[in-house]
């Protein structure tokens, strides 16, 4: 049986050290701010990046093109390894299509290689949670086909429970109107967002006040995770560690889970959510 690697895009938003320790290849997207183009996960620090956004600077992201995707994947195929790629949601980026086109090209060039591209329909630590689970299966000796099948069967059970602090970034992304953003900001309305089954972010509710919105996303995770064996909960934040730690405290109290991974949201995802975003990720039922 050929060896294989599980690869991800930088939008997985896990700590670089975590990924390096587990020898997970990362295929990064890019973003441009102040006329400078940076590589996600390897460019500006979270603090530098979100400070720029707070100062009013705009960040524009760019997807991986097929040629770049080939260059990123081919070295592993040349080593004689198969590839299982857990891709950034097709509902948020064209990167997934580029990865698929690259996979097709490499399969024709290296017919002995198996290249499986999965549209995770996830983003950020939702991708990270799916990676965490598939790495567990790999350690258990499961084959690439068995792991791919598990990922396809369970990807819609990765729950993304999100709240943002700055409505203006949602407006820029076309999620809400300018009027809603202005009025909502005035009365401290905080939207509640989740990832739908098409891999798109949808506003599904709202709370008045930051603390209520943070409580709400934990309560959502509590309900969704009932009947599921979650051995880890992942929490991301847009340079607001105190809020993330408050959410982690609620998770411990309400879900009884102590294994919690907290990490800053990445610069590509953060370009669209802005500073102050907080999200909880668990396995469960979205409804």
């Amino acid at each position: 049986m050929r060896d294989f690697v599980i690869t991800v895009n930088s939008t997985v938003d896990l700590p670089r050290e975590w990924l390096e320790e587990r020898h997970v290849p990362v295929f990064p997207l890019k973003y441009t701010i102040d006329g400078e183009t940076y590589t996600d996960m390897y460019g500006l620090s979270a603090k530098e990046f979100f400070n720029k956004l707070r100062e009013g600077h705009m960040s524009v992201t760019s997807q991986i093109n097929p040629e770049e995707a080939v260059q990123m994947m081919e070295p592993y195929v040349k080593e004689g390894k198969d590839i299982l790629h857990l891709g950034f949601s097709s509902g948020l980026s064209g990167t997934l299509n580029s990865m698929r086109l690259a996979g097709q090209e490499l399969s024709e060039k290296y017919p002995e290689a198996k290249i499986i591209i999965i549209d995770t329909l996830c983003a950020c630590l939702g991708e990270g949670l799916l990676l965490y689970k598939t790495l567990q299966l790999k350690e258990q000796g499961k084959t690439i086909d068995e792991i791919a099948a598990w990922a396809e069967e369970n990807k819609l059970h990765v729950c993304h429970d999100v709240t943002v602090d700055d409505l203006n970034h949602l407006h820029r992304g076309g999620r809400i109107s300018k009027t809603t953003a202005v009025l909502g900001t005035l009365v401290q309305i905080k939207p509640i967002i989740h990832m739908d089954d098409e891999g798109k972010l949808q506003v599904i509710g709202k709370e008045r006040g930051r603390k209520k919105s943070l409580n709400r996303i934990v309560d959502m995770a509590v309900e969704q995770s009932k009947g599921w064996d979650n051995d880890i909960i992942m929490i991301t934040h847009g340079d607001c560690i105190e809020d993330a730690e408050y959410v982690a405290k609620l998770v411990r109290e309400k879900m009884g889970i102590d294994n919690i991974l907290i990490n800053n949201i990445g610069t590509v995802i953060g370009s669209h959510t802005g500073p102050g975003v907080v999200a909880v990720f668990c396995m469960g039922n979205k409804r």
Side-chain angles (χ1 to χ4, degrees):
M1 184 175 67
R2 286 166 57 98
D3 190 15
F4 67 94
V5 292
I6 301 176
T7 64
V8 293
N9 293 118
S10 58
T11 49
V12 74
D13 287 353
L14 283 161
R16 280 178 57 185
E17 299 78 11
W18 192 98
L19 294 161
E20 290 167 358
E21 286 173 5
R22 291 158 179 79
H23 308 291
V24 177
V26 178
F27 304 150
L29 282 71
K30 295 181 179 179
Y31 61 99
T32 301
I33 190 167
D34 292 339
E36 293 287 333
T37 298
Y38 301 91
T39 301
D40 190 26
M41 200 176 280
Y42 302 92
L44 295 172
S45 69
K47 182 68 69 176
E48 292 169 330
F49 176 75
F50 285 112
N51 279 343
K52 284 182 177 291
L53 294 190
R54 290 186 179 100
E55 292 166 0
H57 301 276
M58 289 288 293
S59 176
V60 179
T61 60
S62 57
Q63 65 189 50
I64 295 172
N65 64 46
E67 293 75 18
E68 291 171 330
V70 168
Q71 294 171 6
M72 292 171 179
M73 288 197 289
E74 190 167 22
Y76 301 99
V77 180
K78 283 184 175 179
E79 292 176 6
K81 295 179 179 177
D82 293 334
I83 296 176
L84 172 58
H85 179 70
L86 303 178
F88 181 28
S89 173
S90 63
L92 297 176
S93 172
T95 291
L96 192 281
N97 189 53
S98 294
M99 303 304 299
R100 280 179 171 162
L101 291 173
Q104 292 169 6
E105 180 178 331
L106 290 171
S107 293
E108 293 172 3
K109 187 175 180 180
Y110 303 92
E112 73 284 359
K114 178 173 291 187
I115 302 172
I116 302 174
I117 310 294
I118 291 182
D119 182 359
T120 67
L121 301 174
C122 295
C124 192
L125 288 181
E127 292 173 76
L129 185 54
L130 201 64
L131 172 64
Y132 173 86
K133 294 293 187 181
T134 56
L135 288 175
Q136 285 183 326
L137 295 175
K138 190 172 190 286
E139 290 175 2
Q140 293 168 15
K142 301 295 185 183
T143 67
I144 186 173
D145 291 308
E146 290 172 327
I147 297 173
W150 184 92
E152 287 287 1
E153 291 169 5
N154 288 276
K155 64 187 185 183
L156 293 181
H157 288 294
V158 179
C159 302
H160 305 56
D161 299 317
V162 188
T163 187
V164 299
D165 199 38
D166 186 347
L167 295 175
N168 291 308
H169 286 276
L170 285 181
H171 162 61
R172 291 170 190 151
R175 296 296 172 190
I176 60 176
S177 69
K178 179 64 174 177
T179 300
T180 299
V182 172
L183 293 178
T185 299
L186 288 174
V187 297
Q188 284 293 297
I189 291 297
K190 307 300 179 185
I192 305 299
I193 302 167
H194 86 148
M195 184 77 80
D196 67 16
D197 287 351
E198 295 180 353
K200 299 177 181 179
L201 291 171
Q202 300 292 349
V203 178
I204 59 170
K206 59 187 178 182
E207 294 288 345
R208 179 167 291 182
R210 178 67 160 177
K211 191 63 67 72
K212 286 184 178 179
S213 70
L214 297 176
N215 289 338
R216 173 79 176 276
I217 59 174
V218 175
D219 289 341
M220 289 169 62
V222 170
E223 287 300 314
Q224 292 162 342
S225 64
K226 286 181 178 178
W228 286 76
D229 181 19
N230 277 281
D231 63 327
I232 190 171
I233 298 295
M234 296 189 178
I235 299 171
T236 194
H237 65 96
D239 194 32
C240 52
I241 185 62
E242 295 86 1
D243 289 337
E245 290 174 343
Y246 172 75
V247 167
K249 175 176 175 289
L250 292 180
V251 166
R252 293 186 184 96
E253 292 174 353
K254 296 186 176 186
M255 301 179 73
I257 299 173
D258 290 320
N259 187 18
I260 299 173
L261 185 150
I262 300 176
N263 195 43
N264 261 299
I265 199 166
T267 44
V268 163
I269 303 292
S271 296
H272 302 281
T273 61
V277 61
V278 179
V280 180
F281 303 85
C282 67
M283 297 298 297
N285 295 310
K286 294 182 182 179
R287 297 174 184 83

